[in-house]
PDB file of all heavy atoms in Angstrom:
ATOM      1  N   LEU A  16    -104.572-154.035  31.372  1.00  0.00           N
ATOM      2  CA  LEU A  16    -105.959-154.341  31.672  1.00  0.00           C
ATOM      3  C   LEU A  16    -106.419-153.641  32.968  1.00  0.00           C
ATOM      4  O   LEU A  16    -107.629-153.426  33.153  1.00  0.00           O
ATOM      5  CB  LEU A  16    -106.167-155.836  31.799  1.00  0.00           C
ATOM      6  CG  LEU A  16    -105.965-156.640  30.513  1.00  0.00           C
ATOM      7  CD1 LEU A  16    -106.079-158.131  30.798  1.00  0.00           C
ATOM      8  CD2 LEU A  16    -106.991-156.251  29.469  1.00  0.00           C
ATOM      9  N   ALA A  17    -105.487-153.299  33.842  1.00  0.00           N
ATOM     10  CA  ALA A  17    -105.857-152.659  35.125  1.00  0.00           C
ATOM     11  C   ALA A  17    -105.979-151.163  35.001  1.00  0.00           C
ATOM     12  O   ALA A  17    -106.377-150.476  35.962  1.00  0.00           O
ATOM     13  CB  ALA A  17    -104.833-153.015  36.198  1.00  0.00           C
ATOM     14  N   MET A  18    -105.674-150.590  33.839  1.00  0.00           N
ATOM     15  CA  MET A  18    -105.781-149.136  33.660  1.00  0.00           C
ATOM     16  C   MET A  18    -107.234-148.706  33.704  1.00  0.00           C
ATOM     17  O   MET A  18    -108.133-149.470  33.406  1.00  0.00           O
ATOM     18  CB  MET A  18    -105.145-148.759  32.345  1.00  0.00           C
ATOM     19  CG  MET A  18    -103.626-148.959  32.304  1.00  0.00           C
ATOM     20  SD  MET A  18    -102.914-148.629  30.663  1.00  0.00           S
ATOM     21  CE  MET A  18    -103.261-146.878  30.514  1.00  0.00           C
ATOM     22  N   PRO A  19    -107.478-147.428  34.101  1.00  0.00           N
ATOM     23  CA  PRO A  19    -108.860-146.920  34.155  1.00  0.00           C
ATOM     24  C   PRO A  19    -109.555-147.061  32.814  1.00  0.00           C
ATOM     25  O   PRO A  19    -108.984-146.877  31.768  1.00  0.00           O
ATOM     26  CB  PRO A  19    -108.672-145.453  34.533  1.00  0.00           C
ATOM     27  CG  PRO A  19    -107.345-145.399  35.248  1.00  0.00           C
ATOM     28  CD  PRO A  19    -106.494-146.438  34.567  1.00  0.00           C
ATOM     29  N   ASP A  20    -110.842-147.427  32.896  1.00  0.00           N
ATOM     30  CA  ASP A  20    -111.657-147.654  31.698  1.00  0.00           C
ATOM     31  C   ASP A  20    -112.735-146.586  31.675  1.00  0.00           C
ATOM     32  O   ASP A  20    -113.802-146.731  32.278  1.00  0.00           O
ATOM     33  CB  ASP A  20    -112.246-149.061  31.768  1.00  0.00           C
ATOM     34  CG  ASP A  20    -113.167-149.385  30.603  1.00  0.00           C
ATOM     35  OD1 ASP A  20    -113.362-148.510  29.749  1.00  0.00           O
ATOM     36  OD2 ASP A  20    -113.713-150.488  30.562  1.00  0.00           O
ATOM     37  N   GLY A  21    -112.469-145.508  30.945  1.00  0.00           N
ATOM     38  CA  GLY A  21    -113.384-144.364  30.935  1.00  0.00           C
ATOM     39  C   GLY A  21    -114.740-144.692  30.335  1.00  0.00           C
ATOM     40  O   GLY A  21    -115.777-144.219  30.805  1.00  0.00           O
ATOM     41  N   ARG A  22    -114.779-145.543  29.300  1.00  0.00           N
ATOM     42  CA  ARG A  22    -116.047-145.815  28.612  1.00  0.00           C
ATOM     43  C   ARG A  22    -117.031-146.519  29.559  1.00  0.00           C
ATOM     44  O   ARG A  22    -118.177-146.087  29.685  1.00  0.00           O
ATOM     45  CB  ARG A  22    -115.816-146.675  27.371  1.00  0.00           C
ATOM     46  CG  ARG A  22    -117.102-146.981  26.605  1.00  0.00           C
ATOM     47  CD  ARG A  22    -116.787-147.684  25.276  1.00  0.00           C
ATOM     48  NE  ARG A  22    -116.450-149.067  25.469  1.00  0.00           N
ATOM     49  CZ  ARG A  22    -117.378-150.074  25.508  1.00  0.00           C
ATOM     50  NH1 ARG A  22    -118.654-149.780  25.414  1.00  0.00           N
ATOM     51  NH2 ARG A  22    -116.994-151.322  25.636  1.00  0.00           N
ATOM     52  N   HIS A  23    -116.593-147.582  30.186  1.00  0.00           N
ATOM     53  CA  HIS A  23    -117.499-148.284  31.093  1.00  0.00           C
ATOM     54  C   HIS A  23    -117.803-147.505  32.364  1.00  0.00           C
ATOM     55  O   HIS A  23    -118.881-147.574  32.915  1.00  0.00           O
ATOM     56  CB  HIS A  23    -116.936-149.660  31.424  1.00  0.00           C
ATOM     57  CG  HIS A  23    -116.976-150.631  30.269  1.00  0.00           C
ATOM     58  ND1 HIS A  23    -115.881-150.881  29.470  1.00  0.00           N
ATOM     59  CD2 HIS A  23    -117.987-151.345  29.760  1.00  0.00           C
ATOM     60  CE1 HIS A  23    -116.223-151.748  28.538  1.00  0.00           C
ATOM     61  NE2 HIS A  23    -117.503-152.048  28.684  1.00  0.00           N
ATOM     62  N   ARG A  24    -116.830-146.732  32.817  1.00  0.00           N
ATOM     63  CA  ARG A  24    -117.076-145.914  34.006  1.00  0.00           C
ATOM     64  C   ARG A  24    -118.176-144.888  33.716  1.00  0.00           C
ATOM     65  O   ARG A  24    -119.098-144.702  34.523  1.00  0.00           O
ATOM     66  CB  ARG A  24    -115.787-145.184  34.415  1.00  0.00           C
ATOM     67  CG  ARG A  24    -115.948-144.338  35.663  1.00  0.00           C
ATOM     68  CD  ARG A  24    -114.632-143.651  36.032  1.00  0.00           C
ATOM     69  NE  ARG A  24    -113.603-144.638  36.344  1.00  0.00           N
ATOM     70  CZ  ARG A  24    -112.348-144.291  36.682  1.00  0.00           C
ATOM     71  NH1 ARG A  24    -111.978-143.029  36.695  1.00  0.00           N
ATOM     72  NH2 ARG A  24    -111.486-145.215  36.965  1.00  0.00           N
ATOM     73  N   ARG A  25    -118.120-144.239  32.567  1.00  0.00           N
ATOM     74  CA  ARG A  25    -119.156-143.243  32.216  1.00  0.00           C
ATOM     75  C   ARG A  25    -120.515-143.913  32.023  1.00  0.00           C
ATOM     76  O   ARG A  25    -121.523-143.387  32.456  1.00  0.00           O
ATOM     77  CB  ARG A  25    -118.742-142.511  30.923  1.00  0.00           C
ATOM     78  CG  ARG A  25    -117.584-141.535  31.101  1.00  0.00           C
ATOM     79  CD  ARG A  25    -117.396-140.667  29.868  1.00  0.00           C
ATOM     80  NE  ARG A  25    -117.014-141.472  28.705  1.00  0.00           N
ATOM     81  CZ  ARG A  25    -115.756-141.782  28.398  1.00  0.00           C
ATOM     82  NH1 ARG A  25    -114.754-141.355  29.161  1.00  0.00           N
ATOM     83  NH2 ARG A  25    -115.480-142.498  27.304  1.00  0.00           N
ATOM     84  N   ALA A  26    -120.517-145.085  31.394  1.00  0.00           N
ATOM     85  CA  ALA A  26    -121.782-145.769  31.145  1.00  0.00           C
ATOM     86  C   ALA A  26    -122.447-146.195  32.473  1.00  0.00           C
ATOM     87  O   ALA A  26    -123.674-146.024  32.638  1.00  0.00           O
ATOM     88  CB  ALA A  26    -121.571-146.995  30.277  1.00  0.00           C
ATOM     89  N   LEU A  27    -121.669-146.685  33.420  1.00  0.00           N
ATOM     90  CA  LEU A  27    -122.242-147.107  34.692  1.00  0.00           C
ATOM     91  C   LEU A  27    -122.660-145.892  35.532  1.00  0.00           C
ATOM     92  O   LEU A  27    -123.646-145.975  36.268  1.00  0.00           O
ATOM     93  CB  LEU A  27    -121.228-147.976  35.448  1.00  0.00           C
ATOM     94  CG  LEU A  27    -121.069-149.368  34.844  1.00  0.00           C
ATOM     95  CD1 LEU A  27    -119.777-150.014  35.266  1.00  0.00           C
ATOM     96  CD2 LEU A  27    -122.252-150.262  35.244  1.00  0.00           C
ATOM     97  N   ARG A  28    -121.921-144.799  35.410  1.00  0.00           N
ATOM     98  CA  ARG A  28    -122.356-143.588  36.098  1.00  0.00           C
ATOM     99  C   ARG A  28    -123.708-143.140  35.573  1.00  0.00           C
ATOM    100  O   ARG A  28    -124.599-142.756  36.318  1.00  0.00           O
ATOM    101  CB  ARG A  28    -121.317-142.470  35.935  1.00  0.00           C
ATOM    102  CG  ARG A  28    -121.675-141.223  36.724  1.00  0.00           C
ATOM    103  CD  ARG A  28    -120.706-140.087  36.451  1.00  0.00           C
ATOM    104  NE  ARG A  28    -119.342-140.456  36.799  1.00  0.00           N
ATOM    105  CZ  ARG A  28    -118.304-140.434  35.978  1.00  0.00           C
ATOM    106  NH1 ARG A  28    -118.488-140.077  34.698  1.00  0.00           N
ATOM    107  NH2 ARG A  28    -117.113-140.760  36.382  1.00  0.00           N
ATOM    108  N   GLN A  29    -123.873-143.200  34.237  1.00  0.00           N
ATOM    109  CA  GLN A  29    -125.154-142.823  33.644  1.00  0.00           C
ATOM    110  C   GLN A  29    -126.263-143.761  34.060  1.00  0.00           C
ATOM    111  O   GLN A  29    -127.408-143.347  34.317  1.00  0.00           O
ATOM    112  CB  GLN A  29    -125.027-142.800  32.120  1.00  0.00           C
ATOM    113  CG  GLN A  29    -126.277-142.336  31.382  1.00  0.00           C
ATOM    114  CD  GLN A  29    -126.648-140.910  31.719  1.00  0.00           C
ATOM    115  OE1 GLN A  29    -125.785-140.066  31.965  1.00  0.00           O
ATOM    116  NE2 GLN A  29    -127.945-140.621  31.763  1.00  0.00           N
ATOM    117  N   PHE A  30    -125.942-145.047  34.169  1.00  0.00           N
ATOM    118  CA  PHE A  30    -126.903-146.041  34.645  1.00  0.00           C
ATOM    119  C   PHE A  30    -127.366-145.689  36.062  1.00  0.00           C
ATOM    120  O   PHE A  30    -128.561-145.732  36.360  1.00  0.00           O
ATOM    121  CB  PHE A  30    -126.259-147.424  34.626  1.00  0.00           C
ATOM    122  CG  PHE A  30    -127.104-148.524  35.242  1.00  0.00           C
ATOM    123  CD1 PHE A  30    -128.211-149.010  34.577  1.00  0.00           C
ATOM    124  CD2 PHE A  30    -126.771-149.069  36.448  1.00  0.00           C
ATOM    125  CE1 PHE A  30    -129.001-150.036  35.125  1.00  0.00           C
ATOM    126  CE2 PHE A  30    -127.533-150.081  37.018  1.00  0.00           C
ATOM    127  CZ  PHE A  30    -128.636-150.564  36.354  1.00  0.00           C
ATOM    128  N   GLY A  31    -126.434-145.325  36.922  1.00  0.00           N
ATOM    129  CA  GLY A  31    -126.774-144.931  38.285  1.00  0.00           C
ATOM    130  C   GLY A  31    -127.649-143.700  38.319  1.00  0.00           C
ATOM    131  O   GLY A  31    -128.597-143.605  39.099  1.00  0.00           O
ATOM    132  N   ILE A  32    -127.335-142.730  37.466  1.00  0.00           N
ATOM    133  CA  ILE A  32    -128.169-141.524  37.378  1.00  0.00           C
ATOM    134  C   ILE A  32    -129.587-141.883  36.972  1.00  0.00           C
ATOM    135  O   ILE A  32    -130.560-141.361  37.518  1.00  0.00           O
ATOM    136  CB  ILE A  32    -127.531-140.506  36.409  1.00  0.00           C
ATOM    137  CG1 ILE A  32    -126.220-139.968  36.995  1.00  0.00           C
ATOM    138  CG2 ILE A  32    -128.512-139.380  36.087  1.00  0.00           C
ATOM    139  CD1 ILE A  32    -125.415-139.149  36.029  1.00  0.00           C
ATOM    140  N   GLN A  33    -129.687-142.782  35.971  1.00  0.00           N
ATOM    141  CA  GLN A  33    -131.033-143.185  35.517  1.00  0.00           C
ATOM    142  C   GLN A  33    -131.798-143.926  36.626  1.00  0.00           C
ATOM    143  O   GLN A  33    -133.011-143.760  36.758  1.00  0.00           O
ATOM    144  CB  GLN A  33    -130.896-144.106  34.299  1.00  0.00           C
ATOM    145  CG  GLN A  33    -130.422-143.398  33.035  1.00  0.00           C
ATOM    146  CD  GLN A  33    -131.471-142.422  32.506  1.00  0.00           C
ATOM    147  OE1 GLN A  33    -132.666-142.630  32.666  1.00  0.00           O
ATOM    148  NE2 GLN A  33    -131.012-141.320  31.953  1.00  0.00           N
ATOM    149  N   LEU A  34    -131.091-144.724  37.432  1.00  0.00           N
ATOM    150  CA  LEU A  34    -131.760-145.388  38.533  1.00  0.00           C
ATOM    151  C   LEU A  34    -132.387-144.370  39.482  1.00  0.00           C
ATOM    152  O   LEU A  34    -133.532-144.503  39.899  1.00  0.00           O
ATOM    153  CB  LEU A  34    -130.739-146.225  39.329  1.00  0.00           C
ATOM    154  CG  LEU A  34    -130.368-147.626  38.826  1.00  0.00           C
ATOM    155  CD1 LEU A  34    -129.282-148.209  39.707  1.00  0.00           C
ATOM    156  CD2 LEU A  34    -131.593-148.524  38.820  1.00  0.00           C
ATOM    157  N   GLU A  35    -131.592-143.353  39.824  1.00  0.00           N
ATOM    158  CA  GLU A  35    -132.096-142.325  40.747  1.00  0.00           C
ATOM    159  C   GLU A  35    -133.217-141.514  40.106  1.00  0.00           C
ATOM    160  O   GLU A  35    -134.211-141.171  40.729  1.00  0.00           O
ATOM    161  CB  GLU A  35    -130.963-141.418  41.191  1.00  0.00           C
ATOM    162  CG  GLU A  35    -129.896-142.145  42.034  1.00  0.00           C
ATOM    163  CD  GLU A  35    -128.784-141.202  42.451  1.00  0.00           C
ATOM    164  OE1 GLU A  35    -128.893-139.997  42.183  1.00  0.00           O
ATOM    165  OE2 GLU A  35    -127.818-141.693  43.057  1.00  0.00           O
ATOM    166  N   ARG A  36    -133.032-141.162  38.841  1.00  0.00           N
ATOM    167  CA  ARG A  36    -134.009-140.306  38.165  1.00  0.00           C
ATOM    168  C   ARG A  36    -135.357-141.024  38.061  1.00  0.00           C
ATOM    169  O   ARG A  36    -136.416-140.423  38.228  1.00  0.00           O
ATOM    170  CB  ARG A  36    -133.477-139.940  36.761  1.00  0.00           C
ATOM    171  CG  ARG A  36    -134.369-138.990  35.995  1.00  0.00           C
ATOM    172  CD  ARG A  36    -133.679-138.601  34.698  1.00  0.00           C
ATOM    173  NE  ARG A  36    -132.441-137.862  34.980  1.00  0.00           N
ATOM    174  CZ  ARG A  36    -131.483-137.660  34.078  1.00  0.00           C
ATOM    175  NH1 ARG A  36    -131.596-138.164  32.859  1.00  0.00           N
ATOM    176  NH2 ARG A  36    -130.400-136.989  34.400  1.00  0.00           N
ATOM    177  N   GLN A  37    -135.319-142.300  37.750  1.00  0.00           N
ATOM    178  CA  GLN A  37    -136.567-143.066  37.611  1.00  0.00           C
ATOM    179  C   GLN A  37    -137.131-143.513  38.975  1.00  0.00           C
ATOM    180  O   GLN A  37    -138.233-144.014  39.042  1.00  0.00           O
ATOM    181  CB  GLN A  37    -136.347-144.283  36.724  1.00  0.00           C
ATOM    182  CG  GLN A  37    -135.944-143.994  35.296  1.00  0.00           C
ATOM    183  CD  GLN A  37    -137.101-143.502  34.475  1.00  0.00           C
ATOM    184  OE1 GLN A  37    -138.268-143.560  34.900  1.00  0.00           O
ATOM    185  NE2 GLN A  37    -136.808-142.982  33.284  1.00  0.00           N
ATOM    186  N   GLY A  38    -136.330-143.322  40.019  1.00  0.00           N
ATOM    187  CA  GLY A  38    -136.778-143.769  41.340  1.00  0.00           C
ATOM    188  C   GLY A  38    -136.795-145.272  41.474  1.00  0.00           C
ATOM    189  O   GLY A  38    -137.413-145.815  42.388  1.00  0.00           O
ATOM    190  N   VAL A  39    -136.040-145.956  40.568  1.00  0.00           N
ATOM    191  CA  VAL A  39    -136.093-147.421  40.588  1.00  0.00           C
ATOM    192  C   VAL A  39    -135.370-147.978  41.804  1.00  0.00           C
ATOM    193  O   VAL A  39    -135.855-148.911  42.470  1.00  0.00           O
ATOM    194  CB  VAL A  39    -135.450-147.978  39.281  1.00  0.00           C
ATOM    195  CG1 VAL A  39    -135.286-149.465  39.384  1.00  0.00           C
ATOM    196  CG2 VAL A  39    -136.322-147.612  38.087  1.00  0.00           C
ATOM    197  N   SER A  40    -134.219-147.411  42.137  1.00  0.00           N
ATOM    198  CA  SER A  40    -133.465-147.972  43.259  1.00  0.00           C
ATOM    199  C   SER A  40    -134.208-147.859  44.567  1.00  0.00           C
ATOM    200  O   SER A  40    -133.997-148.636  45.494  1.00  0.00           O
ATOM    201  CB  SER A  40    -132.109-147.270  43.374  1.00  0.00           C
ATOM    202  OG  SER A  40    -132.276-145.880  43.595  1.00  0.00           O
ATOM    203  N   ALA A  41    -135.088-146.849  44.669  1.00  0.00           N
ATOM    204  CA  ALA A  41    -135.857-146.687  45.897  1.00  0.00           C
ATOM    205  C   ALA A  41    -137.166-147.483  45.876  1.00  0.00           C
ATOM    206  O   ALA A  41    -137.839-147.584  46.904  1.00  0.00           O
ATOM    207  CB  ALA A  41    -136.181-145.205  46.127  1.00  0.00           C
ATOM    208  N   ALA A  42    -137.501-148.048  44.738  1.00  0.00           N
ATOM    209  CA  ALA A  42    -138.794-148.707  44.601  1.00  0.00           C
ATOM    210  C   ALA A  42    -138.705-150.148  45.045  1.00  0.00           C
ATOM    211  O   ALA A  42    -139.022-151.058  44.327  1.00  0.00           O
ATOM    212  CB  ALA A  42    -139.268-148.627  43.151  1.00  0.00           C
ATOM    213  N   ARG A  43    -138.216-150.350  46.243  1.00  0.00           N
ATOM    214  CA  ARG A  43    -138.105-151.709  46.782  1.00  0.00           C
ATOM    215  C   ARG A  43    -139.430-152.140  47.391  1.00  0.00           C
ATOM    216  O   ARG A  43    -140.146-151.346  48.009  1.00  0.00           O
ATOM    217  CB  ARG A  43    -137.006-151.745  47.852  1.00  0.00           C
ATOM    218  CG  ARG A  43    -135.642-151.401  47.268  1.00  0.00           C
ATOM    219  CD  ARG A  43    -134.550-151.584  48.299  1.00  0.00           C
ATOM    220  NE  ARG A  43    -133.245-151.400  47.665  1.00  0.00           N
ATOM    221  CZ  ARG A  43    -132.089-151.612  48.271  1.00  0.00           C
ATOM    222  NH1 ARG A  43    -132.071-152.021  49.510  1.00  0.00           N
ATOM    223  NH2 ARG A  43    -130.962-151.433  47.633  1.00  0.00           N
TER     224      ARG A  43
END
C-alpha cells in the first residue's frame, strides 16, 4: 500500500495544472 501510486499522482498533478490554468488558486 505504501508503493508509489502513479494513477492518483498523475490525476492530482493535472488537477494542480487546471487550478493554475483557470487562475482559481489565485482567485482568493
Side-chain angles (χ1 to χ4, degrees):
L16 294 175
M18 293 174 65
D20 177 359
R22 181 173 76 87
H23 288 100
R24 182 180 298 178
R25 288 190 297 272
L27 287 160
R28 184 185 300 124
Q29 184 61 35
F30 173 74
I32 291 170
Q33 290 293 327
L34 278 176
E35 294 180 5
R36 184 175 297 164
Q37 297 285 350
V39 171
S40 60
R43 297 186 174 187

